Amino acid sequence: MELNDDKLDTIIGLVRRHTGIAMGRHKRVLLQGRLQPRLRALGLDNYGAYIERLAQDRQEVVSFINSVTTNDTAFFRTPAVWRWLEREFLPEWTVRAAFSSTAAPLRIWSAAAATGEEAYSLAMTCLEARRNFPGLRFEILATDISTEALDTARAAMYRGRSVERFERDHPEQFRKYLRPVGDAFRVVTEVSQYVEFGEHNLLQRPPRAAGFDLVMLRNVLIYFDAEAQQRVLAGARRSMHRDARLILGEQETITRLDTDFVFEQAHIYRIGD
Ligand SMILES: C[S@@+](CC[C@H](N)C(=O)[O-])C[C@H]1O[C@@H](n2cnc3c(N)ncnc32)[C@H](O)[C@@H]1O
């Protein structure tokens, strides 16, 4: 089924409106590949009919969003970030918390969490840190716009490349925190109980105002144009405590943008004075 320029532009506009993801015409083949199964499932033989359907059917918009988002992720993606959490952020936060009068738990937001590997890696890292800092209490909110990715995340069942790499790079944690179930592995409840999953569009208001100590916003800004990036970062800022940290993906830099964040070290930003 051919996606002509006219319909392609309309679909690119719908992708941007619903997700913020900026695509050019060079994404024609990708969009065709992602959307053809939707047209087939709905018994439609042209993109014009599909566009009309999207205008009338909220449920199809959900499937459209699931189809056009890319949910690649991994356990313990970008090792330097996890080393920083383990060696700097968590010890420092725990010491600060011990002297604070609020006794609030460490609150972490895994924004654009995809299929959940990042959120579970966070829970495992906090559990490991708790061996040295028994008083560490934490909660993790993991959100994404893709309901399909969130279903996978909640099921906490992983297979293939995702678990192979995890087992190779972190054998001890792998054995401790994953259990075989058929041809897959499930994250144990001891870990998953700390993670709450929810649907959230980063273009909308953050899920919690001024509540987070750490926000992971990784490998999602790359899909947005500068205007959407700025909007998403302003939302992230509103969700954070004054001394919280923001973590971005390896290929993401925000120094060109007008934000409240200042670079601290690779991938890590704090709120400026
Ligand atoms: C490549 S994954 C990154 C996953 C994880 N953060 C990581 O770094 O491994 C990008 C995720 O961003 C999500 N996403 C895209 N647009 C979004 C939006 N407007 N709001 C929330 N999530 C969005 C996608 O559904 C996808 O799961």
Side-chain angles (χ1 to χ4, degrees), residues 107-109 139-141 196 200 205-212 235-236 238-240:
R107 295 200 172 97
I108 306 178
W109 180 21
E139 48 188 54
I140 298 162
L141 176 67
E196 182 191 333
H200 177 257
R205 280 208 329 225
R208 185 178 292 160
F212 294 108
R238 282 199 300 280
S239 78
M240 292 164 67

Side-chain angles (χ1 to χ4, degrees), residues 208-237:
R208 185 178 292 160
F212 294 108
D213 302 290
L214 182 70
V215 174
M216 290 253 192
L217 182 66
R218 303 194 304 157
N219 304 298
V220 63
L221 289 178
I222 34 164
Y223 296 102
F224 299 155
D225 62 22
E227 191 191 327
Q229 289 179 346
Q230 210 133 307
R231 189 161 147 201
V232 170
L233 287 162
R237 165 67 186 91

Side-chain angles (χ1 to χ4, degrees), residues 74-79 82 117 121 124-125 166 170 173 218:
F75 287 98
F76 297 102
R77 187 174 190 174
T78 311
W82 303 94
E117 286 91 328
S121 303
M124 291 176 210
T125 303
F166 183 8
H170 303 269
Q173 273 140 305
R218 303 194 304 157

Side-chain angles (χ1 to χ4, degrees), residues 17-253:
R17 174 143 72 84
H18 290 295
T19 69
I21 297 171
M23 290 181 170
R25 281 189 177 170
H26 63 286
K27 296 284 182 186
R28 186 192 312 263
V29 174
L30 176 128
L31 282 170
Q32 279 181 180
R34 299 271 184 96
L35 295 177
Q36 254 161 23
R38 290 310 312 147
L39 271 72
R40 266 201 301 278
L42 297 166
L44 302 174
D45 63 3
N46 68 83
Y47 283 96
Y50 184 62
I51 290 165
E52 271 174 39
R53 180 70 178 249
L54 281 172
Q56 295 152 9
D57 182 350
R58 177 61 211 158
Q59 198 45 47
E60 186 50 36
V61 173
V62 173
S63 302
F64 175 69
I65 292 170
N66 288 339
S67 304
V68 300
T69 51
T70 299
N71 313 119
D72 286 344
T73 186
F75 287 98
F76 297 102
R77 187 174 190 174
T78 311
V81 165
W82 303 94
R83 273 196 302 274
W84 169 82
L85 273 174
E86 185 193 319
R87 295 180 192 170
E88 296 180 47
F89 182 82
L90 291 174
E92 282 165 20
W93 188 88
T94 314
V95 169
R96 259 204 329 273
F99 289 100
S100 141
S101 53
T102 61
L106 170 67
R107 295 200 172 97
I108 306 178
W109 180 21
S110 167
T115 41
E117 286 91 328
E118 174 178 279
Y120 293 132
S121 303
L122 282 163
M124 291 176 210
T125 303
C126 290
L127 283 172
E128 291 294 309
R130 196 139 86 181
R131 297 200 300 188
N132 293 327
F133 308 105
L136 174 61
R137 290 189 308 121
F138 62 94
E139 48 188 54
I140 298 162
L141 176 67
T143 61
D144 202 279
I145 198 174
S146 163
T147 56
E148 224 166 71
L150 288 168
D151 287 344
T152 304
R154 287 193 188 95
M157 296 270 278
Y158 299 96
R159 47 172 66 74
R161 235 169 40 133
S162 159
V163 285
E164 281 160 23
R165 265 191 278 153
F166 183 8
E167 185 173 20
R168 185 193 65 202
D169 298 339
H170 303 269
E172 198 187 315
Q173 273 140 305
F174 182 84
R175 277 193 298 276
K176 198 156 147 194
Y177 295 127
L178 268 79
R179 293 283 170 277
V181 181
D183 68 339
F185 289 84
R186 179 189 283 133
V187 175
V188 296
T189 319
E190 186 198 349
V191 172
S192 58
Q193 65 178 329
Y194 291 101
V195 186
E196 182 191 333
F197 288 99
E199 195 180 333
H200 177 257
N201 183 341
L202 288 165
L203 298 177
Q204 282 154 17
R205 280 208 329 225
R208 185 178 292 160
F212 294 108
D213 302 290
L214 182 70
V215 174
M216 290 253 192
L217 182 66
R218 303 194 304 157
N219 304 298
V220 63
L221 289 178
I222 34 164
Y223 296 102
F224 299 155
D225 62 22
E227 191 191 327
Q229 289 179 346
Q230 210 133 307
R231 189 161 147 201
V232 170
L233 287 162
R237 165 67 186 91
R238 282 199 300 280
S239 78
M240 292 164 67
H241 278 313
R242 183 73 190 75
D243 54 3
R245 294 293 185 275
L246 172 74
I247 320 280
L248 300 181
E250 277 177 66
Q251 291 149 46
E252 291 161 325
T253 162

